[in-house]
Amino acid sequence: MLRRLAVPALLLPVCPLATDITSLPARCLTLQHTLHLENTTILNVTHIPAPATVATPGSCQSSATVTSAPLCRVQFVINTTSTSAVHAEAWLPDTWFGRFLATGNGGTGGCIDYGAVDYGASLHFAAFGTDNGHDGAGGGAFLDHPEVVNDFAFRAIHVEAVIGKQLTEAYYGRQPAKSYYLGCSTGGRQGTQAALRFPADFDGIVAGAPATDWNHLMGWSGLLGHFVGTTTPGDESPPPNTSPKFIPAAMFPLVSAEILRQCDALDGIVDGIISEPDDCDFNPQALQCAVDQTSGCLTPFQVQTLRNIFSPVIGTDGNLIYPRYSPGAEADPVSQALLGPVFFQFTADWERFAVLNVTTHNFTDFGLQDIALFDKINPGGISTFDGHLEAFRARGGKFLTYHGRRDPLISSTNSKRMYELIASTLGTPSLDDFYRLFLIPGMGHCSGGLGPTAFGQGTAPGLNVVNASSHNILLALVDWVENGAAPATVVGSGANGTERTFCRFPMQSVFNGTPFVCTD
Ligand SMILES: *[C@@H]1O[C@H](CO)[C@@H](O)[C@H](O)[C@H]1NC(C)=O
Ligand SMILES: *[C@@H]1O[C@H](CO)[C@@H](O)[C@H](O)[C@H]1NC(C)=O
Ligand SMILES: *[C@@H]1O[C@H](CO)[C@@H](O)[C@H](O)[C@H]1NC(C)=O
Ligand SMILES: *[C@@H]1O[C@H](CO)[C@@H](O)[C@H](O)[C@H]1NC(C)=O
Ligand SMILES: *[C@@H]1O[C@H](CO)[C@@H](O)[C@H](O)[C@H]1NC(C)=O
Ligand SMILES: *[C@@H]1O[C@H](CO)[C@@H](O)[C@H](O)[C@H]1NC(C)=O
Ligand SMILES: *[C@@H]1O[C@H](CO)[C@@H](O)[C@H](O)[C@H]1NC(C)=O
């Protein structure tokens, strides 16, 4: 449950707001007629007393979302070209602290992240969200619409920032003092892309579990399906997976138990969490059926499947294409999206609709040639695997990124790889002055998993229980941007008051007999 926060001491207004609070509801409603923003049509304006449930448009959301602060809600659409448009919402709290917050999306969607928008408004940001240029969780809108792909790849967040800041100023009578971004997964990629392509859009960015190196991520995801013998995405009526390579979901607990047997103790404590999965040299041979053994074990084909899953993808030129699946992450049920009987929907949508511009495709022989094609076409310049953050850094921008080490959809090892790419591009081994990566042992994709993994990441209710910058990554970002206080660690909160301190890369989380500590 989302506990409503008292006003955090550090998150004071950046300067006092002169607007007469009593006039805000009336002032809100006039926006319907007074807002004149480039390429933008105002669809609806309402003032919402809190707490309230509101109807949400589009096909993604359930019918109601809670608003946790009294606010002015503006629904609008920005035409980005003659064949593309971004639907967006502004949630403008009555008590505004002078800050702007844009939020991102997930997967191949298409869905305003209302939870994140509400979270931002509850912390007194002028909070925005968009549909990323198309409605719905799938990628069908990409077909024959390269400008919709461009919105998805880079433009939706940019117009969210440009138009959103103008709208904020029109309502409150002055420009936001600082601008922030919050997103995870595809949202993490969008935040990274913003820092690379539009370095003036945000002063601070939180980019969780970023889907950077998107083309290779889509390729790796497709290859995982190939390793387990899947051929068909869910929307094309997949046949049952009868491949000898396939490992049924019911067998994975056996696999996970063996992985823990081999690797759980590496971090100094047997607690079900592999703090550093890159140290886990898992050998699946131990699971292979002995002569005469027919249950509780794997066939040689299945053992080979595990070898493939837990090996990095290497190109024909010998270069790394994408890191391996993290041992331990297969225990998260979401892993079935990649390792289950159906070909990964995001890869299928991306290849069919954005890359090939076809409605159906045979994925049976998915392989390195598909990844080479993704690289060659790189629709919308989506790759987002580039270290050139000079301009963002020179403006004083601050970047916080985090990644669950038990992430079942995107390897956290890729976030280390991104860090190293930026460091080598900028010619500096440490990025501490503007870019910090926190690796989160036990956490799944963006949130959840094992242990205390709530630290204000705002992607789901219940994550934002502590309002200090030491325990809340969005508040930590504000503190860094506005007070120069860079976060050394992030503390996660869990059930029954449990906590764990998370380390910034390249420090390691080590159990020293009492709690975990961070060491070089
Ligand atoms: C939020 O932070 C302030 C100041 O640090 C504190 O007084 C208040 O109790 C906190 N509220 C919650 C809900 O933790
Ligand atoms: C946006 O595009 C739609 C459809 O082409 C058009 O009807 C509308 O007038 C455009 N709005 C603006 C503000 O350009
Ligand atoms: C605008 O929002 C109000 C309040 O949610 C709703 O009653 C009304 O139907 C909406 N109007 C349009 C045109 O969507
Ligand atoms: C408005 O749309 C045109 C293209 O249709 C684009 O060139 C221009 O940059 C857009 N303006 C904004 C503020 O996005
Ligand atoms: C997509 O394919 C359709 C049907 O073959 C074709 O008419 C259209 O021009 C293609 N669009 C693009 C952007 O290549
Ligand atoms: C898909 O490709 C495989 C391998 O090339 C082939 O055996 C199979 O018949 C194809 N399926 C369809 C529906 O065309
Ligand atoms: C929290 O404490 C309660 C009551 O002691 C217990 O039932 C529950 O299992 C605990 N939860 C966790 C996650 O440890």
Side-chain angles (χ1 to χ4, degrees):
M1 205 186 94
L2 182 71
R3 193 194 305 166
R4 274 207 282 141
L5 302 181
V7 173
L10 79 95
L11 199 70
L12 293 173
V14 281
C15 57
L17 179 63
T19 312
D20 175 3
I21 297 293
T22 57
S23 72
L24 279 174
R27 189 188 169 90
C28 171
L29 296 183
T30 64
L31 290 176
Q32 180 84 55
H33 308 290
T34 57
L35 278 177
H36 298 289
L37 305 169
E38 198 179 349
N39 304 334
T40 301
T41 306
I42 306 302
L43 300 175
N44 205 356
V45 179
T46 41
H47 188 272
I48 300 168
T53 56
V54 297
T56 59
S59 56
C60 300
Q61 282 78 33
S62 58
S63 59
T65 297
V66 176
T67 64
S68 51
L71 55 83
C72 179
R73 180 190 191 195
V74 184
Q75 297 170 269
F76 56 104
V77 55
I78 308 163
N79 290 356
T80 48
T81 67
S82 62
T83 55
S84 60
V86 172
H87 284 75
E89 295 208 13
W91 287 24
L92 308 168
D94 287 3
T95 306
W96 183 51
F97 282 0
R99 301 184 181 94
F100 171 82
L101 180 72
T103 63
N105 304 87
T108 49
C111 301
I112 291 175
D113 185 351
Y114 284 99
V117 178
D118 188 46
Y119 175 51
S122 76
L123 292 172
H124 309 286
F125 290 84
F128 288 71
T130 84
D131 74 349
N132 211 3
H134 65 279
D135 181 43
F142 299 146
L143 183 70
D144 195 20
H145 278 81
E147 294 296 354
V148 174
V149 175
N150 284 336
D151 282 348
F152 178 77
F154 67 89
R155 198 165 45 209
I157 301 298
H158 178 56
V159 297
E160 181 180 21
V162 171
I163 299 297
K165 288 182 205 177
Q166 292 174 14
L167 201 160
T168 302
E169 182 178 4
Y171 183 51
Y172 293 110
R174 63 181 167 79
Q175 291 180 351
K178 294 290 176 193
S179 297
Y180 296 91
Y181 173 85
L182 178 71
C184 192
S185 193
T186 273
R189 189 198 62 75
Q190 291 169 305
T192 310
Q193 184 78 296
L196 288 165
R197 281 184 85 139
F198 303 102
D201 280 357
F202 302 108
D203 300 297
I205 290 172
V206 176
T212 48
D213 200 5
W214 172 268
N215 293 316
H216 288 188
L217 170 63
M218 290 298 102
W220 171 72
S221 306
L223 277 180
L224 288 171
H226 182 69
F227 295 153
V228 299
T230 66
T231 59
T232 316
D235 65 346
E236 290 189 4
S237 310
N241 190 332
T242 54
S243 167
K245 300 191 288 185
F246 188 62
I247 302 173
M251 295 300 285
F252 268 101
L254 191 73
V255 175
S256 295
E258 179 60 23
I259 288 174
L260 287 179
R261 194 187 66 76
Q262 294 186 26
C263 296
D264 190 0
L266 292 176
D267 58 9
I269 181 170
V270 176
D271 60 355
I273 296 175
I274 301 169
S275 292
E276 179 45 272
D278 293 332
D279 284 350
C280 176
D281 189 15
F282 169 55
N283 179 358
Q285 193 61 42
L287 291 166
Q288 189 167 310
C289 298
V291 183
D292 297 337
Q293 190 185 3
T294 54
S295 67
C297 59
L298 300 182
T299 67
F301 275 118
Q302 292 170 322
V303 168
Q304 184 55 42
T305 295
L306 291 179
R307 280 202 191 91
N308 291 337
I309 291 170
F310 295 110
S311 297
V313 177
I314 307 293
T316 49
D317 59 2
N319 289 328
L320 178 72
I321 288 182
Y322 200 81
R324 66 178 184 155
Y325 203 88
S326 294
E330 77 298 325
D332 187 306
V334 173
S335 67
Q336 282 293 300
L338 291 175
L339 307 177
V342 173
F343 192 83
F344 190 52
Q345 193 69 46
F346 298 165
T347 299
D349 283 7
W350 188 249
E351 179 153 23
R352 289 176 304 187
F353 307 138
V355 176
L356 296 173
N357 182 33
V358 296
T359 51
T360 59
H361 180 66
N362 186 344
F363 293 98
T364 306
D365 295 324
F366 190 91
L368 294 178
Q369 73 284 355
D370 295 84
I371 303 177
L373 184 66
F374 297 0
D375 273 341
K376 181 167 163 233
I377 297 180
N378 190 21
I382 199 167
S383 162
T384 324
F385 193 61
D386 179 343
H388 284 292
L389 288 176
E390 293 91 339
F392 179 77
R393 179 197 217 174
R395 284 189 73 257
K398 306 296 182 209
F399 198 108
L400 290 179
T401 178
Y402 63 86
H403 207 138
R405 307 244 55 193
R406 205 164 169 271
D407 188 327
L409 293 179
I410 301 178
S411 168
S412 60
T413 309
N414 195 56
S415 283
K416 292 182 174 181
R417 183 172 165 245
M418 186 77 192
Y419 187 102
E420 281 154 3
L421 174 68
I422 298 165
S424 68
T425 304
L426 301 184
T428 152
S430 171
L431 303 177
D432 263 0
D433 66 314
F434 84 107
Y435 184 105
R436 294 184 177 213
L437 163 63
F438 293 91
L439 295 171
I440 316 295
M443 191 169 81
H445 188 56
C446 297
S447 63
L450 304 178
T453 59
F455 48 87
Q457 60 269 57
T459 54
L463 301 176
N464 312 309
V465 288
V466 180
N467 73 3
S469 61
S470 57
H471 291 64
N472 182 308
I473 197 162
L474 179 59
L475 301 189
L477 181 70
V478 169
D479 213 9
W480 196 8
V481 166
E482 296 178 18
N483 305 319
T489 60
V490 169
V491 181
S493 301
N496 298 341
T498 53
E499 291 190 344
R500 179 165 175 178
T501 296
F502 301 123
C503 310
R504 73 181 189 280
F505 185 75
M507 283 198 266
Q508 301 265 339
S509 181
V510 172
F511 188 77
N512 73 348
T514 44
F516 283 89
V517 293
C518 301
T519 60
D520 289 321

